[in-house]
Amino acid sequence: MSLERFIKKPEDFRSHEGDGLKPVVLLIGAQGVRTTCGLQGAAFALQRLEHQVWQVPTAMIPWPSSHGPSAAFVPQDADFKRLIDDIINAPWLDQVGGIFTGCLASATQVHEVARLIQAVRGLNPSVTCLCDPALGGTEEEAVNPDLLKSLIEKLFPLANCVTPNREELAVLSGFSAETEQEAVAAARLLDVEHVVITSAPALRRNSMANILVEPGLATIIEHAQVPNAPKGAGTLLSALFYARWLDGAAPADALKKATASTFELVARSVKMAGDELLIPQNQGVLLQPMALINARRIVEAPARA
């Protein structure tokens, strides 16, 4: 029996724009043992949407802090540099068409990741980079100041998009982000072309929102709040948004689809009594969500002096 009917042809993996195979995504962040946060959830989402993923671990944790205290194992700076050196010198580096950065453990790691991004762009200037800050704290004093400074000065200038949650945005910008107008104004201060604010304020009661801030436009996408929601939805949403953006969707359309998928997956995980996101069990919603969401334009407040 011929196997040809079971094997996809290369054109079946093409992006929406038909330029060729879907690009490899270089996924950089913390690896956990019992969690769907970080690399695991993002990798699953990207792979489910048919992107090849190369994973670069920046730390190893048994589980996220939301599940209780745990020790983080961070590679020595010299070891991490050697890892980046090997990737930069890899003969397949030109296959990379997207870079997604998550949790970085030190300013040195930020420097090395920035060096890697520049090396990839030396081969493919059109590579897009998304940075999910994953600061690990909601108060400025809880964040390593050297790490924060390096993110803003070295990584953000290389990013096409950053995806902080509301608390991270306040720390990064130094301004409040408690209303949608404040959040948009704070996002503008980051000086990145596209900013997606997750866990953002919503106008409707018992609702949450994601806000897309792009040149000359801000769009808010609201959904019902899910009580007792597991952690990690922000990184998953960022990965889904990024995958659809890489596939050629307009940023607002990509965020609408990612929001619907993430909301539905969170709701299903809670209904199944999961204390983490049950992604494999509900993976169909990554491709075709059924949830209804509300999107609208935001009227921005005057720019801050």
Side-chain angles (χ1 to χ4, degrees):
M1 179 184 294
S2 172
L3 297 179
E4 290 185 2
R5 65 192 182 99
F6 298 104
I7 302 174
K8 283 191 174 184
K9 300 173 184 176
E11 55 266 28
D12 295 331
F13 294 94
R14 295 184 186 276
S15 67
H16 294 171
E17 295 184 334
D19 293 340
L21 297 179
K22 287 189 177 183
V24 170
V25 175
L26 199 57
L27 182 58
I28 305 168
Q31 181 81 43
V33 176
R34 185 191 184 273
T35 179
T36 48
C37 299
L39 287 187
Q40 286 93 320
F44 192 103
L46 288 161
Q47 290 167 335
R48 192 66 183 86
L49 292 171
E50 300 185 352
H51 287 274
Q52 191 75 9
V53 175
W54 297 356
Q55 297 186 39
V56 181
T58 58
M60 174 67 74
I61 59 173
W63 47 77
S65 58
S66 58
H67 288 335
S70 63
F73 298 89
V74 180
Q76 295 292 320
D77 289 345
D79 293 331
F80 191 76
K81 181 180 183 303
R82 282 195 293 269
L83 174 64
I84 298 301
D85 284 341
D86 283 347
I87 298 171
I88 288 175
N89 293 321
W92 322 281
L93 193 64
D94 59 354
Q95 297 176 19
V96 175
I99 302 173
F100 183 113
T101 72
C103 179
L104 301 177
S106 67
T108 299
Q109 287 192 355
V110 174
H111 172 79
E112 294 302 324
V113 168
R115 189 165 64 91
L116 175 56
I117 294 170
Q118 291 167 331
V120 173
R121 284 198 171 137
L123 299 173
N124 182 1
S126 65
V127 164
T128 60
C129 176
L130 181 145
C131 174
D132 180 5
L135 295 178
T138 59
E139 300 294 338
E140 189 167 4
E141 60 268 22
V143 181
N144 182 320
D146 291 335
L147 173 60
L148 187 65
K149 185 172 185 286
S150 294
L151 284 171
I152 294 171
E153 294 183 357
K154 295 182 180 179
L155 200 54
F156 284 12
L158 299 174
N160 302 92
C161 180
V162 296
T163 60
N165 62 33
R166 178 173 54 184
E167 291 81 7
E168 291 166 340
L169 176 61
V171 172
L172 290 163
S173 67
F175 284 93
S176 170
E178 292 304 309
T179 68
E180 60 184 48
Q181 287 82 10
E182 286 181 344
V184 173
R188 297 278 184 212
L189 295 175
L190 300 185
D191 198 25
V192 178
E193 187 175 21
H194 295 85
V195 179
V196 173
I197 310 161
T198 62
S199 301
L203 283 182
R204 295 186 301 170
R205 290 186 60 190
N206 301 318
S207 295
M208 296 181 65
N210 298 308
I211 299 175
L212 171 66
V213 182
E214 50 190 334
L217 180 64
T219 305
I220 186 167
I221 302 170
E222 295 180 326
H223 60 84
Q225 188 169 8
V226 181
N228 303 313
K231 302 294 185 182
T235 300
L236 176 69
L237 179 133
S238 297
L240 289 169
F241 163 76
Y242 190 49
R244 295 193 179 280
W245 191 20
L246 286 178
D247 286 351
D253 292 335
L255 186 58
K256 291 175 188 176
K257 199 86 167 183
T259 300
S261 291
T262 305
F263 165 71
E264 189 169 342
L265 190 141
V266 169
R268 287 171 177 261
S269 298
V270 170
K271 188 175 182 179
M272 297 170 68
D275 64 351
E276 60 182 343
L277 295 175
L278 302 179
I279 301 176
Q281 298 90 331
N282 298 290
Q283 58 187 277
V285 305
L286 304 182
L287 300 177
Q288 194 60 48
M290 302 297 291
L292 297 177
I293 57 172
N294 178 51
R296 58 181 171 80
R297 292 275 301 272
I298 295 178
V299 178
E300 297 186 45
R304 288 189 172 106

